[in-house]
């Protein structure tokens, strides 16, 4: 049985602890990887389908990490009490809450701990896979919504930088929309922008789109749409991609893989991308003209004013990115961790959304 399916079903019913799941996963990895041919290179996708399954706090597995996080974040318990509005005597008394708290300090701490818990699971899976196959290529791609607005996706909150720390290839699960009220194709922020973000996180590692959603829920796509999507995505950092067929209808005619325009456009784009690979790689290596701050401190704090207006770090970043995009400048992102590592000295302009 695939561990992912076991996890989605059993964890929802409260029938499985993390330690029990680890046992199932380890046996699965040992059985499946040991049966693969030797002398070959395999790309293992290490991914939590985080919009459907979550990592719950378990005292035996997470309590020590939770206390260590709090001790590293606050000078003493009094400082925490002042921000939380509580009266705890020591850090061990502070409970982890499965539901997102309203208190701003709590919201950040609990979201951050959730990100650490999920990153730990992805890292464990990558290490276990490499232990069984030393030549393995571990490939991760977090779901964009989970780090675009981690508070709204609290149960699945992810940090793309932390998640990808032990991965050999970096990616993200995103998609572009064929229709847009403003542009011919609505892919500027949702494809180009997030690829630039993950390119910035990846450092020298290749960026691979594990779920290249570009033709969803529509039967007829013009060939030039397919070609434009490929070129835009590869110009903004992708090195390779898995062409993703997502047909939810039982009608075989809805499968985009059978759409002649999509297939023809994909074939031509693949040929053209190979021919222009040196020029495209030069765009990957070009220094950023401007970088935007992706801040873990800001990302949990969003406010929905209305259905049409959500105030959050990434919605503001998207607007800024879009404006710079049309100026023809190379846009990247820098994280707080990268700033601590001295990366800020590389850039001339930093924009804080």
């Amino acid at each position: 049985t695939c561990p992912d399916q076991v996890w989605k079903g059993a964890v929802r019913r409260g029938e499985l602890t993390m330690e029990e799941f680890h046992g199932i996963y380890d046996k699965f990895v040992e059985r499946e990887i040991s049966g693969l041919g030797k002398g070959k290179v395999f790309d293992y996708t290490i991914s939590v389908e985080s919009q459907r399954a979550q990592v719950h706090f378990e005292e035996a597995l997470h309590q020590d990490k939770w206390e260590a996080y709090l001790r590293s974040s606050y000078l003493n318990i009094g400082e925490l009490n002042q921000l939380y509005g509580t009266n705890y005597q020591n850090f061990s008394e502070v409970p982890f809450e499965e539901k997102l708290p309203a208190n701003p300090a709590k919201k950040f701490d609990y979201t951050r701990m959730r990100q650490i818990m999920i990153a730990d699971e992805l890292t464990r899976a990558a290490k276990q896979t490499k232990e069984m196959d030393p030549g393995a290529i571990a490939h991760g791609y977090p779901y964009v919504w989970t780090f675009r607005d981690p508070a709204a996706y609290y149960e699945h909150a992810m940090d793309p930088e932390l998640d990808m720390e032990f991965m050999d290839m970096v990616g993200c699960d995103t998609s572009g929309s064929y229709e847009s009220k403003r542009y011919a194709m609505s892919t500027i922020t949702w494809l180009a922008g997030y690829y630039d973000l993950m390119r910035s996180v990846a450092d020298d590692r290749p960026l691979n789109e594990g779920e290249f959603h570009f033709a969803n829920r529509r039967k007829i796509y013009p060939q030039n749409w397919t070609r434009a999507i490929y070129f835009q995505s590869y110009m903004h950092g992708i090195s390779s991609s898995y062409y993703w067929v997502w047909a939810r209808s039982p009608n075989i005619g809805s499968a985009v893989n059978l759409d002649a325009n999509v297939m023809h456009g994909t074939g031509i784009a693949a040929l053209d991308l190979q021919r222009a690979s040196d020029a495209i790689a030069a765009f990957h290596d070009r220094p950023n003209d401007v970088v935007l701050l992706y801040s873990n401190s800001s990302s949990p704090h969003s406010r929905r004013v209305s259905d049409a207006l959500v105030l959050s770090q990434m919605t503001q970043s998207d607007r800024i990115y879009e404006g710079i995009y049309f100026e023809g400048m190379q846009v990247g992102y820098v994280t707080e961790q990268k700033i601590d590592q001295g990366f800020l000295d590389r850039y001339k302009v930093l924009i804080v959304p």
Side-chain angles (χ1 to χ4, degrees):
T1 304
C2 174
D4 187 45
Q5 298 303 320
V6 171
W7 176 251
K8 289 177 187 175
V11 76
R12 282 181 173 178
R13 297 190 298 269
E15 298 171 356
L16 198 67
T17 67
M18 285 300 302
E19 291 191 65
E20 290 170 336
F21 174 74
H22 288 164
I24 294 172
Y25 182 85
D26 293 348
K27 290 179 182 178
F28 175 85
V29 169
E30 182 178 3
R31 183 185 74 230
E32 297 300 321
I33 294 181
S34 62
L36 297 174
K38 302 300 181 184
K40 298 179 181 179
V41 177
F42 291 91
D43 164 16
Y44 300 92
T45 297
I46 311 294
S47 179
V48 176
E49 275 290 286
S50 304
Q51 63 272 41
R52 300 186 183 92
Q54 56 273 77
V55 176
H56 292 293
F57 186 91
E58 293 183 15
E59 186 172 341
L61 195 62
H62 300 122
Q63 182 63 33
D64 289 345
K65 293 179 180 179
W66 173 231
E67 289 184 35
Y69 167 79
L70 292 176
R71 292 181 191 282
S72 68
S73 302
Y74 296 95
L75 293 174
N76 50 55
I77 192 66
E79 184 182 35
L80 179 145
N81 283 329
Q82 185 176 5
L83 291 173
Y84 279 23
T86 53
N87 246 334
Y88 299 120
Q89 298 302 306
N90 53 66
F91 290 109
S92 62
E93 295 180 9
V94 183
F96 184 83
E97 300 179 19
E98 289 292 345
K99 299 298 182 182
L100 182 66
N103 177 286
K106 279 188 174 184
K107 181 182 288 188
F108 171 76
D109 287 337
Y110 287 69
T111 300
R112 189 60 184 158
M113 185 59 195
R114 182 77 73 179
Q115 291 173 327
I116 292 170
M117 288 158 55
I118 292 176
D120 283 349
E121 291 304 309
L122 294 173
T123 297
R124 185 188 186 280
K127 288 181 175 179
Q128 179 73 357
T129 300
K130 290 183 178 183
E131 184 177 318
M132 294 301 303
D133 181 358
I137 297 173
H139 169 215
Y141 55 95
Y143 183 56
V144 162
W145 278 107
T146 60
F147 61 83
R148 176 182 167 85
D149 192 354
Y153 282 74
Y154 173 63
E155 293 181 342
H156 331 288
M158 300 179 81
D159 171 0
E161 187 172 33
L162 197 60
D163 295 334
M164 298 298 103
E165 189 171 352
F166 288 93
M167 302 297 170
D168 302 300
M169 285 200 302
V170 175
C172 64
D173 181 2
T174 184
S175 63
S177 172
Y178 177 77
E179 296 152 329
S180 168
K181 295 179 180 179
R182 301 176 64 191
Y183 306 117
M185 55 187 202
S186 180
T187 58
I188 293 171
T189 54
W190 279 94
L191 288 182
Y194 286 110
Y195 294 150
D196 278 331
L197 170 59
M198 298 309 293
R199 172 179 60 84
S200 302
V201 168
D203 295 326
D204 294 329
R205 292 171 292 176
L207 180 61
N208 175 285
E209 174 55 285
E211 295 188 20
F212 194 34
H213 298 293
F214 68 91
N216 295 336
R217 306 181 183 94
R218 183 181 172 93
K219 292 184 179 180
I220 300 175
Y221 289 85
Q223 176 190 313
N224 59 358
W225 154 259
T226 301
R227 296 184 68 195
I229 284 293
Y230 273 106
F231 265 88
Q232 183 191 48
S233 299
Y234 276 77
M235 293 285 281
H236 286 271
I238 286 186
S239 300
S240 59
S241 58
Y242 301 145
Y243 168 31
W244 190 264
V245 179
W246 197 13
R248 294 185 168 183
S249 168
N251 180 2
I252 196 169
S254 71
V256 297
N257 200 32
L258 302 181
D259 188 318
N261 288 326
V262 171
M263 291 298 291
H264 192 198
T266 296
I268 294 176
L271 180 61
D272 289 345
L273 287 168
Q274 289 185 29
R275 288 170 171 168
S277 58
D278 288 342
I280 291 172
F283 276 90
H284 295 185
D285 297 333
R286 177 186 166 191
N288 293 316
D289 298 306
V290 178
V291 290
L292 306 180
L293 176 66
Y294 178 82
S295 168
N296 278 313
S297 300
S298 299
S299 60
H301 303 292
S302 60
R303 183 164 62 91
R304 181 174 292 277
V305 179
S306 66
D307 290 340
L309 179 59
V310 179
L311 301 179
S312 72
Q313 174 185 222
M314 288 311 296
T315 55
Q316 302 306 314
S317 292
D318 287 350
R319 293 170 184 172
I320 297 168
Y321 180 93
E322 184 179 298
I324 301 173
Y325 178 92
F326 285 110
E327 294 296 324
M329 290 189 283
Q330 184 90 338
V331 188
Y333 288 80
V334 65
T335 64
E336 290 149 325
Q337 182 174 326
K338 288 283 192 290
I339 291 175
D340 290 341
Q341 294 170 355
F343 277 67
L344 198 57
D345 295 339
R346 302 181 181 186
Y347 312 121
K348 296 180 180 178
V349 179
L350 167 68
I351 298 178
V352 180

